[in-house]
Amino acid sequence: MTAPIPSPIWQPAASRIIPISAPANLRARRLVPEIVTLSWAPKSSADHFDFSLDLSAILSQTGDYLAGIERVEIPTASDLPSQLAVLWSSVVQGLACIMLGGGTPGITEQIVVYVVTQQGRRLAPRIELAITSETDATEPTPPPSMDGGIPVPPNAIQLPDGTILTGPGGLPYLIA
């Protein structure tokens, strides 16, 4: 398996990384499973921040690494223009990283990040994110995008003429 490649361009914010740990041994658990709620540090509606998940503990000693983010869902989303939005998602330095903008002040949103590993494991951690009431509701600023509206994450490979290097499916190649 291919280990993560350090990105020379962009670093995920260390203060917004949540480690996803492996569940306790089933024999050591009680009959009723423990419910653990994971949450990122709150953000205001006006903020555009990267939030990351570190799956290295759950993949420890498997020889497996994160391969990609299949999709990101916000099941608590509304139809408001200022609703929390995923601006882009990418694997950056082995982390599942998403850029979020907007959000309804005073609301706690749920985000589900569907990831796949190089060996085909699929995980879908659910994370909560509180939107503070410090600013008014703000529409998220759209990220740079390619033709067809495909967002360009900061670790996309850019050619000297400024074009983004893409694969057969039209998705950008990433330094991941």
Side-chain angles (χ1 to χ4, degrees), residues 32-172:
V32 178
E34 300 154 8
I35 305 294
V36 176
T37 302
L38 298 173
S39 62
W40 279 304
K43 75 174 233 30
S44 77
S45 183
D47 293 332
H48 289 74
F49 283 151
D50 59 286
F51 295 88
S52 301
L53 300 174
D54 181 355
L55 295 132
S56 60
I58 206 164
L59 298 174
S60 176
Q61 299 179 7
T62 65
D64 200 1
Y65 298 98
L66 186 62
I69 299 173
E70 292 181 321
R71 68 186 186 282
V72 179
E73 292 179 358
I74 305 173
T76 53
S78 67
D79 292 330
L80 298 173
S82 62
Q83 175 57 44
L84 184 68
V86 178
L87 304 177
W88 55 259
S89 63
S90 182
V91 175
V92 180
Q93 297 187 3
L95 303 172
C97 188
I98 59 176
M99 179 67 78
L100 298 171
T104 305
I107 300 294
T108 298
E109 301 283 5
Q110 293 183 1
I111 299 110
V112 183
V113 182
Y114 294 85
V115 298
V116 64
T117 69
Q118 293 176 10
Q119 293 180 6
R121 292 178 171 88
R122 285 183 158 60
L123 304 158
R126 181 179 298 264
I127 313 296
E128 290 186 349
L129 176 63
I131 310 300
T132 65
S133 300
E134 296 165 352
T135 63
D136 292 333
T138 306
E139 289 187 38
T141 304
S145 60
M146 300 184 314
D147 293 338
I150 298 170
V152 178
N155 62 332
I157 298 174
Q158 190 172 16
L159 299 175
D161 67 357
T163 59
I164 303 298
L165 187 61
T166 61
L171 296 175

